[in-house]
Amino acid sequence: MKHIVRDYEQIIEIPSPPERFVGNSVAFKGIVQHVFAEPSRPRQVLDIGFGMGRLGRHIKETAHWHVDGIDGFEDTCLNAPLFAEAIYRNVWHGLAQDLGAERLREYDLVCLFDVIEHLPAVQARELLATLLGALGPRARLVVSTPLWFWPQGQLMPGDLEEHLIGIPASSMMRLRPHLFHISSRYLVGTFVFGPESLARIERFQPIEDPAFDRQAGEADLAGLGLKADDTLYVVTPPQAHTEDAPNSPLEGEEPMSATPTPPRVTVIINNRDLLEWPRRMVEKLERMPGVAEIVILDNGSSYRPLMAWYRTIPHRVLFLENLGHTAPWTSGVLDTIATDLYVVSDPDLDLSALPDDTLPYLAGLLERHPTLGKVGLSLATEGIPADSPYREHVAKYERLPQERATGPEGLIAMPVDTTFALHDRRVLREYKICGMRAPAPYVARHEPWHVVKPEGDFAYYLDHVEGRSSSYRDFTRHVKSDSVRGLYAAYAQEQGQKVSTKWDSYLDVYEDAYRPFKHEAVDLLEIGVQNGGSLEIWSRYFPRARTLTGCDINPRCAGLQYADPRVQVIVGNANEQATFQKIAARSPAFDIIVDDGSHRTNDVISSFLTYFPLLKPGGIYIAEDMHCAYWEAYGGGVLNDRSCAAFFRRLMDTVNSDHFREADNGSLFQAFLPRAQMNAFLAAHPILSVAAHDSMFLVRKASPARPRGLGTEIIVGDIAIADDRVLRTREAMLKKAA
């Protein structure tokens, strides 16, 4: 690759010009002025095989765009008189492929005039594939070539090289040009392609047989239902594949016909923490005619691979707080787009089967039926896996209505929420469930319906859903992978792990209680570890835990071994002094204490009185399996005033001790221990709350951040019609505070 001109200045010495070819190109150059809807905007153009520079001159004279040139023939490149005219900003001698995809992507328009017919068929296809693959989403490739095997030297004497292939018009049309012109004089076609044509590159089938003469080329053209015209540009957005025309000259595809220029539509994708589905959506949209801009609204995502992808795409990404499904209307993005037509879509749709004329089709429907407000895609209801949690819902609420309810022009009379739908902001610029759905083939696949076990970014999304904003989580009762329930579910699938035994309802109580401590450097004590599996799970739930201590009276627990050094089991009776000292030496204070020991009333009360003082302010004490508190065999009973259930009920009363008038805290516990002792205990270790769950009592210790008691009375507002004494109370409070 030799750089000859840089920024309109020659950077190498050009010798006296050698003798050059003098043949005249027959490519129809004027089409470049019609490629873009706004030709007055500045554009960057690459002219491949620029030859004598005639195309460059035409562009500079008519559109005034910047033009770069590259040619494979050195003699062609050493054209000092041409460069003196400042036609080409940069000139290279070499192959266009060698410029690299990054540089090629900088161009709005890449021109390939009178080039591919000089290449063997395989190389011609590879060159087209390279250029189409490097185009930006709104860039275009213009290809001009004879539509037959033109015998070089007969009609165009003096040209530099011979033609090696003929390109049938049908071969070019299979790539679905946005714009084309076919000259009747020379049977030369000029075609404008977008990057979506790359997906059809295998349909490009040039002919290396010279028998493909002009007569054969004209017959091929006639078979398409087209005619050549020296003055007509034909605008043809790519059409849909159809099975209704098996004898079509394009192998089952609809013949081309002149249609209006595709509408300009802004597509808004509302996303949170999903990557693979929206990435495929964007790749499809980049190839769809009519897409003026793609805007992604990110609602507070935290998935790092998604953030990395955002940095690589050429589209606007607006980072928002989590505004939910109404973000396209509440974020103000509609005031920033350049088009009146806009699409709003969730990110979880597969658009790969959509016809390329989807946007023109939807726009036409909305223009003819503006009162609908919006027109959306239908959703495919076939192929839902038998074990999909959505299968019954789809059959009942999606498939049947789509089969029965039809509106005008075959529209399905089902309203559209945030599925891919086209709106006109002059008519509808607020969130509204309305409109109708388009019939087949304008159908998308709703990806979550086909998921049985969430993985990857979808699992991450479900793990981080806020509130009840995901119907999928509701349908599947999805469990966060790092939640207590999720960790138990994962642990159950592993082999060779220590057994843990818990009642199902406990897991949700643990999750609610433990969540505030999840990423803290906690110290945890579990009295009664049995086979030791729960300590293994707590070590996963609390990744930053400092110590996880277990205690069990069973001497066989001495054989429990843990790879995690934070976990240790102490063998002994937790209510004996020697064992207590070992536990206190391990950690002098705990954030969480779980009593899963003998469950006998005397042991439960003794453990609480012994270890609650070791609980840190704000910590949680949990007594498990308290159904035993109602069994006589464990020292309990429903009417037993000395059961541990009665003890915890008394503790619950102490939460309101500020309001006692005829007794104090200690008097509540006289069936268990002396009054003065309990008063001193509760004064030293104030209780914020006591909660009762099925077979569990949860006691939370007060802390400076959340002290016990009602606190200060808060009076707001200034109109008190029913009782104005509150205003005088507030005035007194303000004076006292001053």
Side-chain angles (χ1 to χ4, degrees):
M1 179 72 63
K2 182 187 294 185
H3 205 165
I4 299 172
V5 174
R6 180 186 295 124
D7 294 329
Y8 299 106
E9 297 292 331
Q10 296 177 18
I11 58 174
I12 67 169
E13 183 179 352
I14 296 179
S16 299
E19 185 174 350
R20 294 188 176 86
F21 69 92
V22 294
N24 293 314
S25 168
V26 293
F28 201 89
K29 302 176 181 62
I31 199 170
V32 297
Q33 298 169 253
H34 300 267
V35 171
F36 299 109
E38 299 176 13
S40 60
R41 287 180 51 190
R43 307 284 181 178
Q44 313 298 318
V45 183
L46 177 64
D47 183 5
I48 299 173
F50 63 87
M52 300 300 293
R54 292 186 176 89
L55 177 61
R57 286 191 181 90
H58 177 82
I59 292 174
K60 294 295 286 187
E61 291 170 358
T62 56
H64 311 293
W65 298 334
H66 283 297
V67 187
D68 292 347
I70 185 168
D71 202 294
F73 290 93
E74 186 172 19
D75 286 353
T76 301
C77 294
L78 302 180
N79 192 337
L82 174 65
F83 305 150
E85 297 179 53
I87 300 297
Y88 290 90
R89 177 181 53 182
N90 292 284
V91 173
W92 293 275
H93 166 225
L95 301 178
Q97 301 93 308
D98 294 336
L99 286 173
E102 184 174 352
R103 181 181 291 275
L104 288 171
R105 195 174 179 84
E106 296 175 359
Y107 293 103
D108 303 292
L109 186 66
V110 177
C111 297
L112 200 63
F113 281 59
D114 299 317
V115 173
I116 58 173
E117 66 269 22
H118 300 290
L119 302 175
V122 172
Q123 291 183 18
R125 185 182 299 109
E126 289 176 350
L127 176 60
L128 290 178
T130 298
L131 298 177
L132 290 169
L135 290 180
R138 289 179 290 275
R140 297 291 179 259
L141 170 66
V142 185
V143 181
S144 185
T145 182
L147 302 179
W148 56 294
F149 201 115
W150 191 325
Q152 192 71 3
Q154 296 182 18
L155 299 179
M156 297 293 292
D159 272 4
L160 187 61
E161 57 179 325
E162 63 179 338
H163 290 189
L164 300 180
I165 55 175
I167 296 93
S170 58
S171 184
M172 298 301 286
M173 299 302 272
R174 288 190 183 99
L175 299 182
R176 295 306 192 197
H178 291 255
L179 185 71
F180 70 92
H181 169 267
I182 297 174
S183 165
S184 61
R185 180 180 180 187
Y186 298 108
L187 195 58
V188 168
T190 307
F191 304 85
V192 180
F193 301 107
E196 73 281 354
S197 292
L198 177 62
R200 310 172 68 89
I201 192 63
E202 293 304 319
R203 298 170 184 246
F204 174 68
Q205 299 291 339
I207 296 175
E208 295 179 316
D209 185 356
F212 181 65
D213 57 12
R214 173 160 183 156
Q215 184 177 359
E218 289 175 339
D220 174 76
L221 182 66
L224 298 176
L226 300 176
K227 66 176 183 178
D229 191 314
D230 276 339
T231 61
L232 179 66
Y233 298 107
V234 183
V235 180
T236 62
Q239 303 295 308
H241 179 80
T242 177
E243 300 300 333
D244 297 331
N247 299 318
S248 166
L250 291 187
E251 302 172 5
E253 298 176 358
E254 293 178 356
M256 288 292 185
S257 60
T259 61
T261 301
R264 300 180 69 248
V265 179
T266 298
V267 180
I268 302 170
I269 302 173
N270 199 33
N271 188 42
R272 175 180 168 89
D273 282 327
L274 291 176
L275 171 58
E276 292 306 321
W277 295 336
R279 176 158 56 191
R280 291 198 288 268
M281 284 183 69
V282 167
E283 290 173 353
K284 170 67 175 181
L285 290 167
E286 288 175 341
R287 301 190 298 269
M288 287 180 65
V291 176
E293 183 184 15
I294 299 172
V295 181
I296 298 178
L297 303 184
D298 184 89
N299 286 267
S301 296
S302 58
Y303 189 50
R304 291 186 177 180
L306 174 64
M307 299 296 110
W309 176 63
Y310 284 156
R311 292 194 293 270
T312 67
I313 59 177
H315 309 295
R316 269 204 297 162
V317 180
L318 302 183
F319 294 95
L320 313 171
E321 298 178 6
N322 190 2
L323 301 181
H325 63 288
T326 64
W329 297 275
T330 59
S331 65
V333 67
L334 293 183
D335 294 327
T336 72
I337 64 177
T339 66
D340 288 319
L341 294 178
Y342 67 98
V343 162
V344 168
S345 180
D346 291 328
D348 54 4
L349 299 178
D350 179 358
L351 307 180
S352 61
L354 284 182
D356 287 337
D357 69 341
T358 294
L359 292 179
Y361 172 75
L362 295 179
L365 288 172
L366 194 59
E367 183 178 5
R368 293 188 292 276
H369 308 284
T371 57
L372 292 177
K374 57 183 171 180
V375 179
L377 302 177
S378 297
L379 297 176
T381 59
E382 302 299 327
I384 310 296
D387 45 359
S388 165
Y390 267 107
R391 184 177 176 87
E392 183 177 348
H393 168 83
V394 171
K396 185 175 181 180
Y397 297 104
E398 295 286 343
R399 181 179 303 142
L400 291 179
Q402 287 192 162
E403 291 175 351
R404 297 173 181 172
T406 58
E409 299 191 54
L411 284 167
I412 299 166
M414 289 181 68
V416 187
D417 190 3
T418 52
T419 301
F420 190 104
L422 184 76
H423 309 62
D424 187 330
R425 66 174 175 173
R426 294 166 296 188
V427 177
L428 186 61
R429 51 186 303 140
E430 62 184 10
Y431 171 68
K432 187 177 182 181
I433 300 176
C434 61
M436 292 187 182
R437 303 187 189 186
Y442 304 97
V443 180
R445 173 177 138 137
H446 188 229
E447 296 282 25
W449 293 354
H450 299 263
V451 176
V452 175
K453 181 181 178 181
E455 297 177 344
D457 59 323
F458 190 38
Y460 184 93
Y461 158 75
L462 292 172
D463 278 355
H464 294 80
V465 167
E466 295 179 354
R468 300 186 63 80
S469 59
S470 171
S471 64
Y472 189 89
R473 190 172 66 175
D474 293 340
F475 269 88
T476 62
R477 300 183 64 186
H478 176 77
V479 177
K480 291 183 66 172
S481 58
D482 62 347
S483 66
V484 174
R485 188 173 291 279
L487 290 172
Y488 263 88
Y491 196 78
Q493 303 301 315
E494 300 176 14
Q495 300 295 320
Q497 296 289 12
K498 303 174 182 68
V499 171
S500 173
T501 304
K502 298 290 181 185
W503 296 102
D504 180 84
S505 63
Y506 289 9
L507 303 187
D508 295 328
V509 177
Y510 285 138
E511 182 64 33
D512 291 340
Y514 289 176
R515 191 181 300 115
F517 300 92
K518 184 173 180 61
H519 298 290
E520 303 298 326
V522 300
D523 295 287
L524 178 145
L525 170 63
E526 185 172 55
I527 299 171
V529 300
Q530 201 181 60
N531 292 298
S534 58
L535 284 173
E536 195 88 71
I537 294 171
W538 301 145
S539 71
R540 301 180 184 184
Y541 187 85
F542 298 108
R544 299 178 183 175
R546 191 166 27 236
T547 61
L548 299 157
T549 305
C551 176
D552 203 289
I553 198 170
N554 188 341
R556 297 176 67 179
C557 288
L560 292 172
Q561 301 294 321
Y562 295 89
D564 191 334
R566 301 174 301 164
V567 184
Q568 181 179 331
V569 174
I570 295 170
V571 176
N573 186 333
N575 291 324
E576 292 181 353
Q577 186 62 24
T579 304
F580 173 81
Q581 290 176 351
K582 291 179 181 179
I583 292 172
R586 168 83 168 148
S587 180
F590 295 93
D591 299 276
I592 298 169
I593 298 175
V594 179
D595 180 4
D596 190 17
S598 71
H599 313 310
R600 297 181 179 278
T601 282
N602 290 341
D603 288 336
V604 171
I605 296 173
S606 179
S607 292
F608 180 83
L609 295 173
T610 300
Y611 289 97
F612 193 76
L614 297 188
L615 195 66
K616 300 175 188 178
I620 299 170
Y621 190 102
I622 297 176
E624 285 187 7
D625 292 347
M626 285 294 93
H627 44 270
C628 297
Y630 301 92
W631 297 347
E632 291 183 7
Y634 284 80
V638 176
L639 302 178
N640 185 345
D641 288 339
R642 292 179 179 272
S643 72
C644 56
F647 179 83
F648 283 109
R649 287 198 296 270
R650 300 288 191 274
L651 286 179
M652 190 176 298
D653 283 335
T654 68
V655 173
N656 293 291
S657 61
D658 291 346
H659 316 299
F660 291 179
R661 294 185 176 181
E662 68 276 13
D664 59 11
N665 280 328
S667 62
L668 300 176
F669 296 90
Q670 293 182 96
F672 301 98
L673 68 166
R675 174 180 174 183
Q677 182 180 343
M678 197 60 189
N679 276 330
F681 179 90
L682 292 173
H685 310 291
I687 292 175
L688 177 67
S689 64
V690 179
H693 301 271
D694 192 334
S695 301
M696 298 177 81
F697 290 105
L698 189 153
V699 184
R700 194 180 302 270
K701 184 177 276 191
S703 68
R706 296 190 65 186
R708 62 174 306 281
L710 283 174
T712 304
E713 187 174 12
I714 299 172
I715 303 174
V716 297
D718 53 12
I719 299 176
I721 296 176
D723 187 350
D724 61 1
R725 288 177 298 175
V726 295
L727 298 180
R728 293 193 292 273
T729 300
R730 181 172 63 182
E731 290 174 3
M733 292 168 56
L734 293 174
K735 289 179 180 179
K736 185 177 180 180

